[in-house]
Amino acid sequence: DTGVSQNPRHKITKRGQNVTFRCDPISEHNRLYWYRQTLGQGPEFLTYFQNEAQLEKSRLLSDRFSAERPKGSFSTLEIQRTEQGDSAMYLCASSFAGREPQHFGDGTRLSIL
Amino acid sequence: DQQVKQNSPSLSVQEGRISILNCDYTNSMFDYFLWYKKYPAEGPTFLISISSIKDKNEDGRFTVFLNKSAKHLSLHIVPSQPGDSAVYFCAASEGTGRRALTFGSGTRLQVQP
């Protein structure tokens, strides 16, 4: 049983660059979530998909952020023109609608130089 | 505005004793509550959950209690083991269909051998 897989595990980039993260959910799960976690805080919800439809976006998801799940399987989260404040752990989770809980990947740690 | 609060940043207990982790919430629309455990460099791992129609749920050494009138839940671990040392997050969600989780800031549990 493969769990939620996230790549890369760590991304270091210069301020102003674009970055893209990938999440592969558990295969039978139709819901996919993105969260962001900063030091000393719990994960904060960013957005979620049911199949390929993006059903909800948080206020935290500024217009520099975009997420896709084109075929209802894997998802990508892109951040354009990165800023220092984007430095965080980006977590992906998946679940089967109507059957909780959400299962998390190990995250992608983004460091902005 | 923190809707889920974990007021104790850390807790230390002796091996074999009971660990009690607490969580308070303010949103009366929350109807599903979860506890996750997180080790360094890993994503959160689901431990146990409870629906608002119950006041207790037990799974092995882990029991979650929900007091809806006080908007308070707690996680009991009995007996505590050194391998339980981790950060524990309380999370909540509201309404059917909307399953974005709102997390507390976590409590670091240290179980002393």
Side-chain angles (χ1 to χ4, degrees):
Chain A
D1 174 31
T2 55
V4 177
S5 176
Q6 292 190 247
N7 288 288
R9 290 296 310 275
H10 199 169
K11 180 72 176 177
I12 302 172
T13 192
K14 293 182 179 178
R15 185 165 51 95
Q17 297 295 303
N18 299 343
V19 294
T20 301
F21 314 138
R22 176 177 170 129
C23 172
D24 288 90
I26 293 170
S27 58
E28 65 268 24
H29 286 180
N30 58 357
R31 284 191 176 174
L32 187 148
Y33 302 79
W34 285 99
Y35 292 83
R36 181 177 72 183
Q37 184 177 19
T38 53
L39 198 61
Q41 300 299 317
E44 296 173 291
F45 169 73
L46 293 177
T47 188
Y48 94 91
F49 295 83
Q50 180 154 318
N51 301 313
E52 64 274 11
Q54 189 172 16
L55 296 187
E56 186 172 353
K57 292 193 281 188
S58 158
R59 289 190 307 272
L60 294 176
L61 208 70
S62 77
D63 55 8
R64 295 185 299 106
F65 287 68
S66 63
E68 293 183 344
R69 195 182 183 198
K71 296 182 180 178
S73 56
F74 73 91
S75 176
T76 58
L77 178 68
E78 181 183 15
I79 308 175
Q80 295 182 329
R81 305 180 304 281
T82 52
E83 301 174 354
Q84 289 285 350
D86 297 332
S87 294
M89 175 73 81
Y90 289 85
L91 292 162
C92 177
S94 71
S95 71
F96 192 85
R99 278 191 263 147
E100 306 298 341
Q102 296 175 25
H103 296 270
F104 283 81
D106 288 337
T108 294
R109 179 168 295 284
L110 175 64
S111 301
I112 307 296
L113 301 177
Chain B
D1 175 31
Q2 265 195 304
Q3 297 187 67
V4 178
K5 298 180 184 179
Q6 294 177 256
N7 292 318
S8 298
S10 64
L11 174 68
S12 183
V13 299
Q14 289 293 120
E15 181 178 4
R17 307 295 290 266
I18 184 172
S19 296
I20 300 176
L21 296 96
N22 293 302
C23 178
D24 297 294
Y25 62 96
T26 56
N27 186 343
S28 57
M29 298 299 292
F30 285 148
D31 60 0
Y32 183 63
F33 304 88
L34 309 89
W35 285 94
Y36 283 84
K37 177 171 72 173
K38 188 179 184 305
Y39 294 119
E42 294 183 10
T45 301
F46 170 73
L47 268 179
I48 192 168
S49 63
I50 187 167
S51 164
S52 61
I53 62 173
K54 296 186 175 182
D55 54 19
K56 176 183 174 181
N57 189 26
E58 194 171 351
D59 184 1
R61 297 187 296 115
F62 302 92
T63 303
V64 56
F65 295 92
L66 175 63
N67 182 334
K68 289 186 289 294
S69 61
K71 294 191 177 68
H72 177 84
L73 65 157
S74 60
L75 174 68
H76 293 210
I77 307 174
V78 182
S80 302
Q81 299 173 353
D84 295 329
S85 298
V87 178
Y88 288 77
F89 290 99
C90 169
S93 69
E94 63 174 276
T96 54
R98 184 185 186 274
R99 289 300 187 182
L101 297 176
T102 301
F103 283 82
S105 55
T107 296
R108 181 176 300 279
L109 173 65
Q110 185 73 36
V111 180
Q112 308 285 350

